[in-house]
């Protein structure tokens, strides 16, 4: 099953997007956690209807809309507003328990992990 990795969504902005369910089933009801080398983390939550939310280790929260665009997942419509209007990342093959290396929107190295349930 494919899911999208999402990095830290610090610097994102606003727009609208339609939901896209395809290849995201493993993400629904589970949590993607982006781990930073300094110990910080971001938890990412995807809903089948196109809603997205994230929770940062420092307590900040973000919401957005997600949509599939080819082999990428894109986030738009951020609340609160951010600097970048959108952020897209490539989809990767992952099941619960898998982890993979990636980069966040600022180019920093992160390790993403798909964990069971909402944490």
């Amino acid at each position: 099953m494919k899911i999208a990795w999402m990095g830290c969504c610090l610097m994102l902005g606003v727009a609208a997007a339609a939901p896209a369910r395809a290849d995201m089933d493993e993400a629904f009801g589970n949590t993607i956690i982006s781990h930073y080398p300094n110990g910080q983390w971001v938890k990412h939550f995807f809903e089948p209807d196109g809603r997205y939310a994230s929770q940062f280790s420092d307590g900040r929260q973000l919401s957005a809309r997600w949509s599939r665009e080819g082999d990428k997942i894109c986030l738009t419509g951020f609340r609160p507003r951010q600097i970048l209007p959108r952020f897209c990342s490539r989809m990767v093959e992952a099941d619960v328990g898998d982890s993979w290396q990636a980069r966040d929107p600022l180019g920093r190295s992160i390790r993403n992990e798909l964990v069971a349930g909402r944490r």
Side-chain angles (χ1 to χ4, degrees):
M1 194 60 59
K2 288 185 178 182
I3 61 153
W5 79 267
M6 305 313 303
C8 172
C9 297
L10 284 180
M11 308 296 275
L12 302 172
V14 233
R21 185 179 172 86
D23 299 314
M24 289 289 291
D25 288 343
E26 286 294 315
F28 304 143
N30 294 316
T31 305
I32 298 172
I33 304 175
S34 297
H35 300 274
Y36 286 82
N38 66 2
Q40 293 180 327
W41 49 262
V42 180
K43 294 179 180 180
H44 308 276
F45 309 102
F46 291 88
E47 301 296 338
D49 65 0
R51 288 178 293 139
Y52 164 84
S54 60
Q55 178 182 345
F56 295 77
S57 55
D58 66 5
R60 289 176 297 134
Q61 295 183 2
L62 237 159
S63 64
R65 301 290 298 170
W66 71 269
S67 64
R68 181 172 178 186
E69 295 182 17
D71 65 346
K72 296 182 179 187
I73 295 296
C74 296
L75 295 177
T76 57
F78 293 94
R79 301 274 187 247
R81 285 182 61 135
Q82 303 295 309
I83 293 171
L84 297 176
R86 62 192 258 131
F87 175 70
C88 296
S89 59
R90 68 180 177 81
M91 294 184 79
V92 300
E93 294 282 338
D95 292 311
V96 170
D98 289 348
S99 65
W100 61 99
Q101 292 300 124
R103 300 239 177 231
D104 76 357
L106 300 177
R108 297 175 293 192
S109 181
I110 55 175
R111 181 181 59 84
N112 291 308
E113 174 185 25
L114 179 60
V115 298
R118 293 295 168 102
R119 297 188 180 188

